[in-house]
């Protein structure tokens, strides 16, 4: 099956800093999503981005499907951005395959 | 509001006592699935359903049952729960198969089996 690797595994930022999270995948994909898992465990949809670039407020994402990676940019980070960020992909299977996540802590 | 709901959100039970976790979506989605999340193992698919009365096993189906009698509901049944089923469970749905459709997740059910 498809392998999904995320980096870095852990990230500590001061409030106001910018960051880039990376997701590499081992095969062609038809679907790629970014999620934020908040400290209460809820999975929040951030982006559905099989290719191209999207922006939503302070967050943006870019997927380069031909090179098998996606990037999530967080600008002007806030403490509420803390949590775990997951990339998940689907090739032709009937499921999402999740990466191992990037744990982000934003401090004051 | 378009959403996927799960109940209960938290449950502590004992080994062997049958339980059902409900999942409902109000988006007229055809596809629904269940995942469990465990430390170090990530999120793994338990079962999925492509439409009413159509279900299939995911990666970790042992110890679970599902049914899809109505399009909006997809309950997860643990006939005889065991401590290794202690986990965080998520229901998800989409218009069609995941390879071409955005998946929407419920808020999660935290289950502890003593």
């Amino acid at each position: 099956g498809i392998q999904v690797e995320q980096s870095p595994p852990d990230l500590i930022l001061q409030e106001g800093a910018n960051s880039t999270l990376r997701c590499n995948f081992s095969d062609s994909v038809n679907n790629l999503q970014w999620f934020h898992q908040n400290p209460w465990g809820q999975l929040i949809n951030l982006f559905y981005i099989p290719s191209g670039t999207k922006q939503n407020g302070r967050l943006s994402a870019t997927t380069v499907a031909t090179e098998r990676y996606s990037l999530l940019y967080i600008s002007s980070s806030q403490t509420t951005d803390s949590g775990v960020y997951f990339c998940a992909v689907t090739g032709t299977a009937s499921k999402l395959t999740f990466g191992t996540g990037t744990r982000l802590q934003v401090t004051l | 509001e378009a959403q996927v709901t799960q109940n209960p959100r938290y449950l502590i039970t004992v080994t062997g006592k049958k339980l059902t976790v409900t999942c409902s979506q109000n988006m007229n989605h055809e596809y629904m699935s269940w995942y469990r999340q465990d430390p170090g193992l990530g999120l793994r698919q338990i079962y999925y359903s492509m439409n009413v009365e159509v279900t299939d096993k995911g990666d970790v189906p042992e110890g679970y049952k599902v049914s899809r009698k109505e399009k909006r509901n997809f309950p997860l049944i643990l006939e005889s729960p065991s401590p290794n089923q202690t986990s965080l469970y998520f229901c998800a749905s989409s218009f069609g198969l995941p390879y071409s459709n955005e998946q929407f997740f419920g808020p999660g059910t935290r289950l502890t089996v003593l």
Side-chain angles (χ1 to χ4, degrees):
Chain A
I2 294 177
Q3 305 300 312
V4 184
E5 293 183 357
Q6 293 185 241
S7 59
D10 295 281
L11 187 58
I12 300 175
L13 298 174
Q14 261 197 323
E15 197 171 43
N18 303 327
S19 62
T20 300
L21 282 57
R22 187 176 179 102
C23 171
N24 292 331
F25 39 95
S26 61
D27 207 342
S28 300
V29 298
N30 293 294
N31 177 7
L32 188 145
Q33 293 184 237
W34 282 98
F35 297 90
H36 174 215
Q37 187 166 36
N38 64 24
W40 296 270
Q42 294 177 311
L43 278 173
I44 311 298
N45 284 40
L46 296 178
F47 293 102
Y48 170 68
I49 187 167
S51 63
T53 297
K54 289 186 178 180
Q55 180 154 8
N56 184 3
R58 296 182 296 104
L59 302 181
S60 64
T62 294
T63 296
V64 184
T66 53
E67 296 187 22
R68 300 180 184 172
Y69 73 88
S70 183
L71 301 173
L72 178 69
Y73 305 96
I74 304 174
S75 64
S76 304
S77 58
Q78 300 175 358
T79 56
T80 52
D81 295 332
S82 295
V84 183
Y85 289 80
F86 289 103
C87 164
V89 303
T90 301
T92 56
S94 301
K95 65 177 182 182
L96 283 173
T97 297
F98 284 78
T100 50
T102 292
R103 186 175 299 275
L104 172 65
Q105 183 179 351
V106 181
T107 62
L108 292 171
Chain B
E1 181 189 353
Q3 60 183 347
V4 180
T5 57
Q6 295 179 227
N7 283 291
R9 296 287 314 282
Y10 303 91
L11 179 61
I12 300 174
T13 189
V14 295
T15 299
K17 185 176 182 182
K18 181 180 178 179
L19 66 93
T20 299
V21 183
T22 65
C23 172
S24 183
Q25 49 88 9
N26 62 1
M27 296 171 278
N28 201 33
H29 285 171
E30 294 174 342
Y31 177 94
M32 298 183 75
S33 65
W34 279 101
Y35 292 80
R36 61 178 288 175
Q37 184 180 23
D38 303 289
L41 297 175
L43 283 97
R44 296 174 292 169
Q45 191 184 55
I46 303 170
Y47 268 96
Y48 65 93
S49 169
M50 290 193 282
N51 215 323
V52 175
E53 302 291 0
V54 181
T55 64
D56 210 344
K57 296 177 181 178
D59 295 323
V60 288
E62 294 78 19
Y64 304 95
K65 286 176 57 177
V66 293
S67 68
R68 188 91 182 272
K69 292 182 170 43
E70 303 169 283
K71 197 172 187 178
R72 64 182 294 130
N73 296 323
F74 189 46
L76 180 69
I77 304 158
L78 285 72
E79 295 268 4
S80 183
S82 62
N84 65 11
Q85 293 178 298
T86 293
S87 188
L88 178 57
Y89 291 86
F90 290 100
C91 180
S93 73
S94 63
F95 277 112
L97 289 171
Y99 63 74
S100 58
N101 293 276
E102 184 176 6
Q103 294 281 293
F104 296 89
F105 281 75
T109 294
R110 199 172 291 275
L111 173 65
T112 300
V113 183
L114 302 175

